[in-house]
Amino acid sequence: TQLLEQSPQFLSIQEGENLTVYCNSSSVFSSLQWYRQEPGEGPVLLVTVVTGGEVKKLKRLTFQFGDARKDSSLHITAAQPGDTGLYLCAGVMIYNQGGKLIFGQGTELSVKP
Amino acid sequence: GAGVSQSPSNKVTEKGKDVELRCDPISGHTALYWYRQSLGQGLEFLIYFQGNSAPDKSGLPSDRFSAERTGGSVSTLTIQRTQQEDSAVYLCASSRNGQETQYFGPGTRLLVL
């Protein structure tokens, strides 16, 4: 059973299109993080959202944390080939000591020129 | 400054052999994590070390897996009697304490034939 369901798992789009990736759970998280991973490398943190309803923007990327802190979304506007990569959401559960991360399955994004 | 380093980068072994994977965390980081990433999947938590506290081993999949952290710095993940299903990328991460951003190493790609 996957605690964090991430969708879609694969996404292939043309340069300039918009896209949204979702992470959903029935559990509440104290925070949720989004990572990007390139082939042969470890994940790199993009953003952390902590407050229910919080919206954070990073250039063309918009991250939102659900009001109930059970879900999150990543929206990319006008995608570029440089956005290609594996995007991972990860949550820290309430009452979890130590910051152990629960990861979604990942979204493999391919942006074609 | 140096990031998290892992060795070896790649390891091919035969079924039934033991393997040791090494992680050098960022200097001064007291928290260290091991995760496993199977092909096309998100990361699965394995074990967490924080300072001198007893490690959180709740993610280890079987008693063939063990890890130690010597002197609060370098960590070694040992897999005994490897099986083909152990083939995966093993990622190490460290953070300043158990609550702050985790920085990931590049991983060790393990292939069990």
Side-chain angles (χ1 to χ4, degrees):
Chain A
T1 303
Q2 191 75 24
L3 201 58
L4 254 183
E5 292 287 343
Q6 187 171 344
S7 64
Q9 288 192 267
F10 299 95
L11 193 53
S12 181
I13 60 173
Q14 292 295 130
E15 182 176 2
E17 293 184 0
N18 302 331
L19 66 113
T20 303
V21 178
Y22 300 93
C23 262
N24 295 292
S25 177
S26 57
S27 300
V28 178
F29 293 96
S30 62
S31 67
L32 200 139
Q33 303 176 353
W34 285 90
Y35 290 82
R36 179 176 163 185
Q37 185 177 20
E38 302 280 359
E41 299 179 7
V44 175
L45 180 66
L46 295 174
V47 76
T48 301
V49 285
V50 179
T51 306
E54 182 175 6
V55 177
K56 282 191 174 179
K57 293 193 175 184
L58 190 65
K59 298 183 179 178
R60 294 177 292 100
L61 279 61
T62 302
F63 305 86
Q64 185 161 8
F65 202 12
D67 291 341
R69 292 186 292 164
K70 293 181 179 181
D71 55 86
S72 181
S73 64
L74 156 62
H75 183 79
I76 300 180
T77 304
Q80 299 177 1
D83 296 327
T84 294
L86 178 66
Y87 290 82
L88 296 155
C89 63
V92 178
M93 301 207 62
I94 294 281
Y95 308 125
N96 172 38
Q97 294 180 337
K100 178 174 70 179
L101 294 171
I102 307 297
F103 280 85
Q105 303 97 317
T107 296
E108 191 72 56
L109 172 65
S110 173
V111 182
K112 301 186 187 313
Chain B
V4 177
S5 61
Q6 292 186 245
S7 60
S9 301
N10 295 280
K11 176 72 176 178
V12 181
T13 190
E14 294 180 349
K15 177 181 173 181
K17 296 286 178 97
D18 297 352
V19 295
E20 285 190 352
L21 312 179
R22 177 185 167 107
C23 172
D24 283 87
I26 293 172
S27 177
H29 281 193
T30 62
L32 186 147
Y33 308 78
W34 283 98
Y35 295 87
R36 177 169 70 175
Q37 185 173 30
S38 301
L39 186 63
Q41 298 294 310
L43 279 69
E44 171 191 15
F45 167 79
L46 297 178
I47 188 169
Y48 158 62
F49 296 89
Q50 171 60 57
N52 296 321
S53 303
D56 176 353
K57 304 178 181 180
S58 60
L60 294 178
S62 77
D63 59 9
R64 297 186 295 105
F65 288 72
S66 63
E68 62 178 22
R69 189 178 184 192
T70 53
S73 180
V74 171
S75 177
T76 302
L77 176 69
T78 301
I79 309 174
Q80 295 178 311
R81 304 180 303 281
T82 53
Q83 304 294 313
Q84 288 180 334
E85 59 263 29
D86 298 334
S87 296
V89 177
Y90 289 82
L91 288 154
C92 175
S94 71
S95 73
R96 193 180 304 276
N97 56 41
Q99 304 301 323
E100 297 192 12
T101 300
Q102 294 182 30
Y103 295 89
F104 285 83
T108 293
R109 281 143 198 83
L110 175 66
L111 177 61
V112 183
L113 300 176

